[in-house]
Amino acid sequence: MTTLTFKDIWKMQMHGIELFEKKESLTKAELLDIQDTIYRLQKKGLPSTKIIEALQKQNKKIAQRWKAERAFWTESKKFDTQKVGEAGEELEIVKYKVILSPHACEKCRGKSENGRKIFKNSDIAKAEYGHVPPFHPNCYCILIPVV
Ligand SMILES: [Zn+2]
């Protein structure tokens, strides 16, 4: 399996459209800031629409609403997957699988072996993107424990 860095995933091509042009791709520091904002505002209980507005103002690269939305949903998915992993470790769960979204793309189908692949805690713990959902920006696939 190829290892994707945060840069790769943000520059990834999907449906033939380059999602983040080079001059607009986020730096690691910017991405960390975005993750921090999402985490902070979610903790405060703000709805997604408000968090997306805050992201639009925070970084001009994602000032357009669809870009801020994509950043929000992609990073939220990363948090969700991490939470599943943390809960799983506490419950001593060692296997996970992916529920594909109804319109899952080739990438997600491939990486999850059409939902049949068994993922481990070590897959979730990997720092880079692309080992577990989100497999790409705007990925709606869900990681669940296998009990
Ligand atoms: Zn997906």
Side-chain angles (χ1 to χ4, degrees):
M1 191 185 282
T2 50
T3 298
L4 292 169
T5 65
F6 75 96
K7 267 187 186 155
D8 296 327
I9 197 137
W10 283 103
K11 287 191 290 191
M12 197 173 277
Q13 302 244 346
M14 200 168 76
H15 306 129
I17 303 159
E18 186 152 356
L19 291 174
F20 257 97
E21 304 86 73
K22 273 207 175 71
K23 62 177 167 42
E24 290 188 327
S25 66
L26 296 165
T27 65
K28 187 154 198 174
E30 287 170 334
L31 192 55
L32 289 173
D33 280 347
I34 287 168
Q35 287 173 345
D36 184 63
T37 300
I38 295 170
Y39 182 74
R40 215 164 23 82
L41 298 182
Q42 276 185 334
K43 251 188 154 174
K44 276 193 188 171
L46 259 69
S48 57
T49 50
K50 293 283 172 201
I51 300 174
I52 290 161
E53 276 171 27
L55 294 178
Q56 285 179 276
K57 285 174 198 153
Q58 178 178 331
N59 190 317
K60 64 178 181 340
K61 290 177 186 171
I62 56 168
Q64 282 174 277
R65 188 166 181 90
W66 70 273
K67 289 182 181 176
E69 281 176 351
R70 183 184 58 196
F72 174 77
W73 293 113
T74 305
E75 294 308 317
S76 296
K77 175 62 66 186
K78 199 162 157 59
F79 291 142
D80 289 346
T81 295
Q82 278 167 357
K83 276 182 235 157
V84 168
E86 281 163 23
E89 288 218 7
E90 269 181 50
L91 298 168
E92 296 179 5
I93 286 162
V94 293
K95 291 178 184 174
Y96 302 83
K97 63 178 188 170
V98 168
I99 302 290
L100 291 165
S101 74
H103 306 290
C105 64
E106 287 296 307
K107 185 167 288 291
C108 296
R109 293 190 183 282
K111 290 209 170 196
S112 68
E113 294 166 12
N114 265 321
R116 288 188 303 270
K117 183 177 172 174
I118 297 296
F119 293 87
K120 294 176 281 185
N121 294 81
S122 57
D123 294 316
I124 302 168
K126 284 175 186 160
E128 300 89 358
Y129 288 83
H131 303 287
V132 286
F135 291 122
H136 56 77
N138 279 347
C139 176
Y140 289 101
C141 299
I142 300 165
L143 189 76
I144 59 155
V146 178
V147 288

